[in-house]
């Protein structure tokens, strides 16, 4: 199913996840992935799958990342931080959780905390363009333009197709 997701065959992946859940209703990973895939496809019952996964495994990284994103969009910073931290307990190297945590700190005005989370994530995966880019935004908020340029350049170097990094680098250099 993950291979199908990587190929953007979300309907095929969802069918596999749902077969797994039918065979084993306690397969929290499959429940969480089914919920995430349903959301990507714009289908209903997303929350039901995510909530069921969290009842089975309160540290499921996929389900917690989904909840962190939901609360982040609603501006519920403390809840978003809590879910991102739970995702990191479930998977200490989960870059999505680091990104949710850092972005939530950033959006809530806790820029030093956001920088520290970015630094932690980059120790695990130094070539993550999204984290590099976010670190550049943090540096801009902290009025450290040269460090921001280095971070944006790192994002572009890590993934030349990362458009947001190119745009941030160009607008900062100009």
């Amino acid at each position: 199913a993950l291979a199908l997701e990587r190929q953007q065959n979300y309907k095929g992946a969802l069918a596999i996840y749902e077969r797994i859940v039918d065979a084993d209703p306690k397969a929290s990973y499959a429940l969480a992935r089914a919920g995430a895939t349903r959301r990507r496809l714009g289908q209903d019952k997303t929350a039901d799958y995510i909530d069921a996964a969290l009842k089975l495994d309160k540290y499921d990284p996929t389900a917690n990342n989904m909840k962190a994103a939901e609360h982040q969009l609603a501006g519920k910073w403390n809840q978003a931080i809590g879910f991102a931290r739970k995702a990191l307990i479930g998977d200490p190297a989960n870059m999505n959780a680091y990104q949710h945590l850092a972005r939530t700190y950033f959006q809530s005005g806790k820029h030093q905390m956001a920088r520290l989370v970015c630094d932690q994530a980059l120790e695990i995966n130094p070539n993550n363009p999204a984290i590099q880019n976010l670190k550049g935004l943090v540096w801009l908020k902290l009025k450290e333009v040269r460090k921001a340029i280095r971070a944006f350049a790192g994002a572009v170097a890590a993934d030349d197709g990362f458009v947001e990094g190119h745009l941030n680098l160009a607008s900062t250099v100009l």
Side-chain angles (χ1 to χ4, degrees):
L2 280 175
L4 291 175
E5 280 189 71
R6 301 264 190 278
Q7 297 169 356
Q8 298 181 351
N9 180 353
Y10 302 115
K11 288 182 181 179
L14 180 58
I16 292 171
Y17 291 133
E18 289 181 340
R19 280 197 306 266
I20 293 169
V21 171
D22 287 343
D24 181 6
K26 293 185 178 185
S28 64
Y29 178 80
L31 280 164
R33 293 304 316 157
T37 306
R38 289 180 80 83
R39 180 170 289 165
R40 185 175 289 257
L41 291 169
Q43 296 182 0
D44 59 351
K45 297 185 181 179
T46 298
D48 295 344
Y49 281 86
I50 298 299
D51 291 341
L54 287 174
K55 283 181 186 171
L56 293 169
D57 179 2
K58 68 180 180 179
Y59 300 114
D60 181 278
T62 299
N64 278 296
N65 275 323
M66 297 293 291
K67 287 289 201 177
E70 178 184 314
H71 285 87
Q72 189 179 13
L73 288 172
K76 297 178 181 177
W77 310 126
N78 291 335
Q79 293 91 332
I81 289 167
F83 283 112
R85 286 182 176 165
K86 284 182 184 177
L88 286 170
I89 291 169
D91 178 4
N94 190 295
M95 287 298 119
N96 287 332
Y98 278 109
Q99 190 171 356
H100 285 300
L101 188 57
R103 188 162 298 278
T104 301
Y105 281 134
F106 178 78
Q107 290 176 321
S108 64
K110 297 177 181 175
H111 301 118
Q112 287 292 352
M113 287 297 293
R115 184 187 61 79
L116 291 172
V117 171
C118 288
D119 287 344
Q120 238 180 347
L122 292 170
E123 284 178 19
I124 297 167
N125 183 352
N127 296 318
N128 185 298
I131 299 288
Q132 289 275 13
N133 188 67
L134 182 54
K135 188 173 179 182
L137 294 173
V138 170
W139 282 126
L140 283 179
K141 284 289 185 182
L142 296 173
K143 310 256 188 264
E144 295 279 355
V145 176
R146 288 185 179 164
K147 290 179 180 178
I149 290 170
R150 280 196 295 273
F152 294 139
V156 170
D159 181 355
D160 191 45
F162 189 65
V163 176
E164 187 178 350
H166 281 284
L167 293 172
N168 286 333
L169 179 61
S171 65
T172 304
V173 170
L174 295 176

